[in-house]
């Protein structure tokens, strides 16, 4: 396709007519598809249906009755499974309920209400702020906003957040209390933090003594095109005496069942002790039968890794389809740019500035719900109105094929409209 | 036995010697028993082992895939089950995780940080206080203490808290923000709130507009000797326009599995909307497979009621054994008083003033761990040092028999010691 951005007004008007015709054809199909969330497809979930019946006994390996009360922070064999999988010492791990988001929210609540390591509660910090690498995960931003913490967007690249900006801000402003990070196959960019990024985050000077990195390694073993390794941030932070800075989160939501998996958090031994002091008041313990169910089903971390390769095989055709269609439909037009992710759950696309909202609205009108434009930015405000998150996992291949073609058409329509507006 | 409290100094010294000999015999047995917590025995849990394999399908009745993300506040059939069981309209119910304590803690967190119904957040209320009917549940007190809320003990009787005291305090002090209530078979007294108590709680004038009743109906269907009915506090509160005052909690911890049951909270439609606004940021949803598992296992509220009668049958011999032994060993001695509960999980005993700690210490030295003396009061401070919570459910009948005999002996020893001290 000719570079649309270089077309004359007449060519654009011609193209606009043509696109409009294609769009009417799509509308006539009465599509009703949802690409808004990073939900696994039923076929993915089927791969772990064995979990449903994996519980052949309710005793832990030490003989404890997992049906009864007891064990606040997870049964030892569950801790060991995650320790082996993630390379984190078991004593740093707390196995929580099914939702890592819940663990993050609760941790933020504790920091707000109680503070940490002797520093004053965050509720008492005037003008408290959090660094939000953007585009990023909308639910992280929602947690921050719910707490009344001001969000500061930080530019993201394929290597992670712009560390020059992060270092400068963290060093200068005591009210900046932390940063959200999805260090591998990030949502939505697919960014993988380099060793240098990890080192700089772990070692940087921060004005706030209780600066915290919310290290949400949600896609830590979710490789599709390349098995990327992530530098151990605990070790890096320990080396500079900053171990308390790291609050690590992980879950099996996109390994087993999103509604009923296991979530963990990991932190320094000193942080874990502090967290458990409040957690033991909050609950007597999380669902140990579900912990046991997962341990009995997977048995070893290697079996989880093998399962993730199967999942990668299941997802790759969908990602291929999206990437190929983007290339066929939008490649060379100048109307959009995107980066092929190495894993994770998303493909992020940038339209021409000012075209994201219009694109998503066109798609919706024709029956395809995308993630809301702006959702990947704090306060849902994408300053360029250009980033859109594509979530290819949930639809069937047939649905995805239709949806992504329609989406490309909508990118072109909004792009052409914008260019025409500029030409007056 | 002769009334010990009326014995002469010589008689007491004689008795002391005899008790000491019996105590040495107990110590020689090397007991190692735990009566400290209200834990179900394995034999009780066995009654619902069918739950472990009840999940023959993962679709809800509306066809939703319960393995996947979605549904914040519980699947409709789970809400309906609890609605039928408790007589609460389904739209007031939120089905949470496995722990009602967790729901209470989170609710308290929200009240602290965000406030409710437009009133200022509790964190900003100077000298904030909570009414704590005592003896009461130690974990309620722990939640209050963790939040930094001052606890005001209120006397309890078999009918509920002393309502004259509650009404006066709630009406006079704007900083009193709520009260903890276990309205049926209360922990540890076995108190059952009368209709009048419920009415007065629902209708009383409170200085704080956002006064909240934490209505922890933990033993709402846990009858042993008598099927007590509880007046509907929602209806009573509605009738006076105080519906937002009620925050209702319930769980299946002592119906199915304490580690892996279902917990719910219920509140006015307006409160539920407010809670869900924050809850939807905290989590995408709770474990729906476990909700479905419970629904498929029980099917109807009547089946739960039938199961509770079986549980009552299983518990009655243990409660009989404790009550009979108390009567045989301590009846008429003047050294202790207790009330036969109608249900629940505990028997509360009062020693002579100043004897609870010593009693529990004697028992511990001989290998039987009781709930810590004082645990049933705010800050673990029983002003009379006299209340002890007996938890008969967890030990086997043989263990319980030994433990309760030893316990009675310890009550006598500490009583005799105290009387001798008084006689100088």
């Amino acid at each position: 396709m000719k570079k649309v951005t270089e077309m004359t007004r007449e060519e654009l008007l011609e193209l606009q007519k043509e696109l409009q015709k294609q769009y009417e054809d799509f509308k006539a199909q009465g599509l009703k598809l949802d690409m808004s969330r990073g939900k696994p497809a039923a076929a993915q979930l089927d791969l772990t249906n064995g979990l449903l019946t994996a519980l052949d006994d309710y005793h832990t390996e030490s003989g404890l009755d997992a049906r009864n009360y007891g064990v606040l922070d997870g049964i030892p064999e569950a801790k060991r499974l995650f320790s082996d999988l993630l390379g984190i010492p078991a004593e740093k791990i707390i196995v929580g309920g099914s939702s890592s988001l819940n663990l993050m929210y609760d941790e933020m609540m504790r920091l707000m209400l109680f503070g940490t390591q002797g520093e004053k509660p965050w509720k008492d910090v005037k003008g408290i702020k959090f660094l939000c690498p953007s585009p990023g995960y909308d639910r992280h931003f929602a947690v921050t906003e719910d707490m009344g913490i001001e969000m500061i967007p930080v530019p993201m690249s394929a290597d992670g957040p712009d560390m020059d900006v992060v270092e400068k801000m963290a060093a200068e402003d005591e009210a900046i209390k932390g940063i959200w990070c999805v260090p591998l196959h990030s949502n939505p960019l697919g960014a993988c933090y380099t060793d240098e990024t990890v080192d700089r985050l772990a070692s940087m000077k921060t004005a706030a003594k209780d600066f915290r990195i919310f290290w949400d390694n949600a896609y830590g073993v979710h490789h599709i095109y390349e098995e990327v390794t992530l530098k151990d941030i605990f070790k890096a932070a320990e080396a500079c005496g900053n171990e308390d800075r790291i609050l690590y989160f992980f879950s099996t939501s996109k390994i087993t069942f999103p509604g009923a998996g296991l979530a963990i958090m990991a932190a320094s031994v000193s942080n874990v002790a502090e967290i458990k002091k409040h957690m033991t008041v909050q609950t007597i313990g999380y669902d140990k039968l579900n912990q046991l169910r997962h341990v009995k089903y997977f048995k070893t971390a290697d079996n989880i890794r093998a399962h993730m390769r199967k999942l990668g095989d299941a997802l790759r055709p969908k990602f291929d389809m999206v990437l190929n269609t983007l290339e066929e439909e939008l490649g060379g037009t100048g109307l959009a740019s995107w980066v092929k992710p190495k894993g994770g759950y998303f493909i992020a696309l940038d339209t021409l500035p000012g075209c994201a909202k219009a694109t998503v609205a066109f798609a919706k009108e024709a029956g395809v719900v995308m993630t809301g434009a702006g959702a990947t930015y704090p306060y849902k405000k994408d300053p360029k109105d250009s980033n859109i998150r594509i979530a290819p996992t949930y639809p069937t291949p047939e649905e995805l094929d239709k949806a992504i073609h329609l989406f490309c058409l909508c990118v072109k329509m909004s792009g052409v409209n914008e260019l025409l507006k500029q030409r007056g």
Side-chain angles (χ1 to χ4, degrees), chain A:
Chain A
M1 196 168 179
K2 193 184 162 181
K3 204 162 171 118
V4 179
T5 44
E6 290 170 3
M7 282 183 178
T8 63
R9 193 161 185 278
E10 286 63 39
E11 285 172 317
L12 286 170
L13 283 169
E14 188 61 29
L15 179 56
Q16 191 181 40
K17 251 187 235 161
E18 192 187 311
L19 295 172
Q20 188 62 35
K21 223 162 64 190
Q22 291 174 26
Y23 186 62
E24 295 306 326
D25 287 348
F26 264 108
K27 283 216 281 192
Q29 294 182 41
L31 298 179
K32 222 183 147 180
L33 303 174
D34 192 338
M35 298 231 305
S36 68
R37 302 300 316 176
K39 274 173 82 165
Q44 285 172 255
L45 302 177
D46 288 345
L47 293 176
T48 50
N49 271 349
L51 242 193
L52 296 168
T53 50
L55 206 59
D56 53 1
D57 181 28
Y58 44 78
H59 291 97
T60 68
E61 61 184 14
S62 73
L64 186 101
D65 188 338
R67 300 170 305 176
N68 218 329
Y69 285 120
V71 188
L72 175 64
D73 54 350
I75 59 175
E77 51 265 60
K79 287 190 187 180
R80 202 170 55 229
L81 186 65
F82 288 109
S83 171
D84 290 349
L85 183 65
L86 303 170
I88 300 171
E91 74 261 24
K92 287 190 183 155
I93 293 178
I94 293 172
V95 188
S98 290
S99 161
S100 57
L101 182 67
N102 201 147
L103 290 173
M104 292 175 224
Y105 188 91
D106 286 6
E107 177 58 22
M108 199 66 98
M109 277 280 213
R110 283 188 294 266
L111 289 164
M112 289 296 291
L113 213 48
F114 309 123
T116 183
Q117 303 296 346
E119 298 299 312
K120 83 174 157 193
W122 291 7
K123 68 177 167 56
D124 301 327
V125 175
K126 272 239 166 90
I128 182 169
K129 302 178 195 77
F130 232 70
L131 300 177
C132 298
S134 305
Y137 180 34
D138 54 353
R139 292 190 188 273
H140 287 165
F141 302 152
V143 170
T144 332
E145 192 170 2
D146 200 45
M147 303 289 156
I149 299 173
E150 187 190 338
M151 294 183 270
I152 312 288
V154 171
M156 272 291 284
S157 78
D159 292 344
D162 184 326
M163 282 308 300
D164 292 341
V165 174
V166 170
E167 282 169 345
K168 188 169 186 300
M169 286 184 152
E172 283 176 2
D173 189 347
E174 214 185 341
I176 293 181
K177 287 296 187 182
I179 184 170
W180 288 108
C181 295
V182 182
L184 263 192
H185 309 308
S186 82
N187 175 351
L189 276 190
C192 294
Y193 287 25
T194 60
D195 290 1
E196 191 201 329
T197 302
V198 173
D199 278 330
R200 289 173 73 176
L201 281 164
S203 64
M204 67 185 181
K205 285 217 163 58
T206 62
K209 271 192 207 162
D210 50 355
F211 185 96
R212 290 293 176 266
I213 298 174
F214 275 64
W215 195 249
D216 181 6
N217 198 13
Y219 308 102
V221 293
H222 302 58
H223 313 299
I224 295 175
Y225 292 109
E226 193 185 327
E227 300 215 349
V228 190
T229 52
L230 175 66
K231 181 157 186 171
D232 184 334
I233 194 163
F234 276 120
K235 279 197 192 138
E238 244 170 279
C240 342
N242 291 334
E243 212 198 348
D244 289 344
R245 180 181 295 177
I246 315 303
L247 299 169
Y248 188 120
F249 302 90
F250 183 81
S251 84
T252 70
S253 288
K254 280 157 183 132
I255 297 176
T256 61
F257 301 142
L262 294 183
I264 70 154
M265 85 174 280
S268 70
V269 170
S270 158
N271 279 339
V272 164
E274 189 184 84
I275 291 162
K276 280 165 68 175
K277 220 184 61 182
H278 296 291
M279 199 176 256
T280 195
V281 179
Q282 183 180 29
T283 183
I284 302 174
Y286 295 99
D287 185 343
K288 295 184 296 300
L289 286 179
N290 205 32
Q291 294 173 21
L292 201 54
R293 194 176 282 127
H294 278 73
V295 170
K296 281 177 181 282
Y297 179 70
F298 280 121
K299 294 183 183 74
T300 66
D302 272 342
N303 286 338
I304 299 183
R305 287 185 198 103
H307 166 65
M308 293 314 289
R309 280 190 288 273
K310 269 196 236 168
L311 264 189
D313 292 343
L315 289 180
R316 205 170 304 112
K318 289 187 175 176
F319 277 75
D320 283 348
M321 180 188 283
V322 171
L323 291 164
N324 292 338
T325 308
L326 292 179
E327 189 54 45
E328 281 161 28
E329 296 288 328
L330 300 172
T333 63
L335 295 177
S337 61
W338 61 93
V339 174
K340 178 183 173 176
K342 299 185 176 79
Y345 252 61
F346 303 101
I347 294 160
L349 177 138
D350 279 319
T351 63
L352 290 186
C355 290
K357 275 190 187 142
T359 300
V360 169
F362 279 134
K364 191 174 178 189
E365 201 187 319
V368 172
V369 179
M370 308 289 300
T371 307
T376 55
Y377 280 80
Y379 309 107
K380 303 194 204 300
K381 280 184 195 154
D382 175 359
K384 288 190 190 153
D385 183 27
S386 109
N387 189 254
I388 299 175
R389 184 179 82 165
I390 302 169
T393 56
Y394 189 63
T396 62
E398 296 69 35
E399 291 170 339
L400 182 62
D401 185 50
K402 277 192 188 159
I404 199 66
H405 275 95
L406 169 65
F407 173 73
C408 288
L409 176 62
C410 299
V411 172
K412 287 187 221 170
M413 286 169 66
S414 60
V416 167
N417 289 355
E418 178 63 23
L419 289 170
L420 279 168
K421 210 167 70 186
Q422 287 172 16
R423 311 274 158 99

